[in-house]
Amino acid sequence: RVREADISWISVNSSKPGRSGAATILVHSTNAWADKNLDADPDRVVKHLLAESSAAAGQDVRAAIHVALHRWRFANIGAQDGPESLCDSATRLAACGDWLVRGRVEAAYTSANDLADTLLAQL
């Protein structure tokens, strides 16, 4: 996690199991910065985020062999006010997912755990 920058976190993708080769990182901007710059020139966005990443990592990442920009317009939603999971006993349908809680992988776990508790209570 990165604080007080236009990026919110940096993930070392090459550290995931089964991956070998060159070190790779994935950088996410903050939601606020992304909202303000969603339609900005891609070259300007990349240049800014590389500078922010270099400052956060304490290493110049601007000389990376490969750089790609992807704009996920709806990937990281803010905290939601509704239930953490959905369960309709009458139709025997249930749903869970990060979209019910917040757009983070941890929210998917929270939602699934909530649904599991609901289903166990109905047994």
Side-chain angles (χ1 to χ4, degrees):
R1 296 191 74 84
V2 179
R3 303 278 185 223
E4 299 184 29
D6 290 333
I7 56 175
S8 61
W9 62 272
I10 300 173
S11 169
V12 181
N13 260 4
S14 53
S15 70
K16 293 178 181 176
R19 296 192 179 181
S20 61
T24 61
I25 62 172
L26 176 68
V27 177
H28 276 240
S29 71
T30 64
N31 287 351
W33 191 86
D35 289 345
K36 290 179 189 172
N37 293 278
L38 193 57
D39 295 316
D41 175 66
D43 290 335
R44 188 180 71 75
V45 170
V46 167
K47 184 177 179 180
H48 179 73
L49 294 179
L50 284 172
E52 289 282 295
S53 300
S54 295
Q59 184 172 344
D60 189 358
V61 299
R62 293 174 291 185
I65 295 169
H66 175 76
V67 176
L69 174 67
H70 184 79
R71 297 175 187 200
W72 288 318
R73 292 182 184 268
F74 307 106
N76 192 6
I77 60 171
Q80 302 298 296
D81 294 330
E84 292 183 343
S85 66
L86 304 171
C87 185
D88 184 340
S89 300
T91 60
R92 297 176 61 134
L93 290 174
C96 63
D98 61 347
W99 54 277
L100 285 164
V101 181
R102 183 181 173 111
R104 302 295 254 182
V105 69
E106 298 86 355
Y109 174 84
T110 299
S111 180
N113 192 60
D114 184 72
L115 180 57
D117 288 346
T118 299
L119 294 173
L120 286 172
Q122 292 181 14
L123 291 177

